[in-house]
Amino acid sequence: MQSLNSALLTSILHIADEAGKHLADFYAKSVKISMKADNTPVTEADLFISQFLTEKLQQLTPSIPVLSEEKCNIPLLKRQHWQEYWIIDPLDGTQQFIDRTDQFSIVIGLVQQNCPVLGVIHAPILDKTYFAFQNGGAYLREKEKYHLLTNSRLSMDNKMARLRITMGSINPKVLSCVRPPYEAELFQYGSSSLKAGLVAEGKADCYLRLGDTGEWDTAAAEILLSEIGGAIFDLQFQPLVYNQRETFINPHFVMVANKRLAWKTILQFN
């Protein structure tokens, strides 16, 4: 099993930075766009970065398989024997990339024994990188400055507490999930992993996703939030699972900055 340490993390950050430079080059010009079978867009940047990351990770750790969103046609029968693997989203937020919002990222995660243990979320245009590994803390590197991420919001016992929820698009269903006396303040942001970053920074209390995502969208976020005392859970308040199903599609979920809050009291799902 790959040892988790600062040297490994430094290597992954370097790979993410290299990939980010390539992605920025693609962003500066027009790219070819096509549609995948699930009717979501994919660009030549997605495919190039996927191949680049795969090659770099295989050079770094030849014995660890790499699972990419753009190369995930691997049956469970084969991958269920994996004790560890890299899971990558070469361009999380392809639509944001196309729409030129700057709010997209490169995501690299390491999963050991079906649990995310290391994650890097790199947004090259925003110059923000979130990273964490198990028992090593969670950090934000922004414009070459490093910040330790901590859980700053310890309680929500104000009777008129406002719950700041980040989303990809404003969904009225979310408002009905928030129980009185709590109130929701909704705001939109870019890729799924960057919304997780806002939760980790304390700029949002949670990210509520009522729509499909892949395991590559949440693995790095899982360890990032875990290291600050946060969590990701489905609408039955159960944890997400990794590499245990034929499908990679996650159930709808909530990412929270503080798992100790009474989320079963704050949120209700029909």
Side-chain angles (χ1 to χ4, degrees):
M1 200 76 70
Q2 177 66 47
S3 297
L4 300 176
N5 52 49
S6 58
L8 176 66
L9 181 62
T10 297
S11 295
I12 300 305
L13 285 168
H14 180 66
I15 290 172
D17 287 340
E18 284 188 291
K21 291 175 184 175
H22 287 299
L23 190 54
D25 289 341
F26 278 106
Y27 196 53
K29 60 187 180 182
S30 67
V31 295
K32 295 177 183 176
I33 304 169
S34 55
M35 300 302 289
K36 295 194 283 191
D38 62 359
N39 205 36
T40 59
V42 62
T43 73
E44 60 180 317
D46 295 74
L47 302 177
F48 178 91
I49 300 299
S50 178
Q51 184 64 27
F52 176 85
L53 291 175
T54 299
E55 290 177 359
K56 289 293 184 179
L57 291 170
Q58 287 176 334
Q59 289 171 12
L60 180 67
T61 54
S63 64
I64 302 179
V66 180
L67 174 69
S68 170
E69 178 184 7
E70 306 309 334
K71 198 172 183 180
C72 61
N73 190 22
I74 306 170
L76 180 61
L77 189 63
K78 178 179 179 180
R79 53 186 167 81
Q80 67 183 353
H81 302 293
W82 292 354
Q83 294 300 301
E84 60 183 339
Y85 63 98
W86 295 105
I87 183 167
I88 62 175
D89 190 340
L91 176 45
D92 182 32
T94 299
Q95 191 62 57
Q96 283 79 22
F97 180 90
I98 294 168
D99 293 342
R100 308 195 66 76
T101 68
D102 298 350
Q103 297 171 0
F104 52 85
S105 52
I106 294 164
V107 184
I108 305 172
L110 178 64
V111 178
Q112 294 181 338
Q113 297 177 327
N114 304 119
C115 294
V117 294
L118 179 149
V120 171
I121 300 166
H122 176 50
I125 308 303
L126 300 177
D127 198 8
K128 295 180 76 170
T129 307
Y130 303 93
F131 57 93
F133 69 88
Q134 193 173 64
N135 300 319
Y139 294 83
L140 167 64
R141 183 187 68 193
E142 185 171 17
K143 297 178 173 35
E144 300 306 316
K145 293 183 178 180
Y146 290 78
H147 310 275
L148 174 66
L149 298 175
T150 59
N151 196 333
S152 59
R153 188 153 184 181
L154 300 177
S155 66
M156 199 181 295
D157 50 14
N158 184 328
K159 290 186 178 180
M160 293 301 290
R162 294 188 66 78
L163 192 67
R164 198 150 197 260
I165 304 176
T166 181
M167 310 181 65
S169 57
I170 299 302
N171 186 340
K173 290 182 180 178
V174 171
L175 294 173
S176 66
C177 297
V178 179
R179 286 176 157 184
Y182 302 99
E183 298 179 354
E185 176 189 343
L186 308 182
F187 71 101
Q188 291 176 263
Y189 203 68
S191 72
S192 184
S193 60
L194 290 183
K195 287 191 276 287
L198 293 184
V199 174
E201 284 188 74
K203 293 180 178 178
D205 296 301
C206 66
Y207 162 35
L208 178 51
R209 175 72 183 203
L210 303 179
D212 287 347
T213 57
E215 292 180 15
W216 39 77
D217 291 310
T218 55
E222 188 97 43
I223 185 63
L224 182 74
L225 293 172
S226 176
E227 285 297 303
I228 66 160
I232 309 177
F233 49 80
D234 66 20
L235 303 193
Q236 284 71 51
F237 299 94
Q238 297 301 307
L240 301 185
V241 300
Y242 294 88
N243 199 33
Q244 297 178 51
R245 302 167 298 149
E246 199 64 60
T247 180
F248 290 110
I249 298 175
N250 286 319
H252 299 176
F253 62 75
V254 186
M255 293 185 181
V256 302
N258 187 348
K259 66 183 179 182
R260 296 184 181 278
L261 294 182
W263 289 104
K264 289 182 181 180
T265 300
I266 296 167
L267 299 174
Q268 182 174 40
F269 306 108
N270 296 325

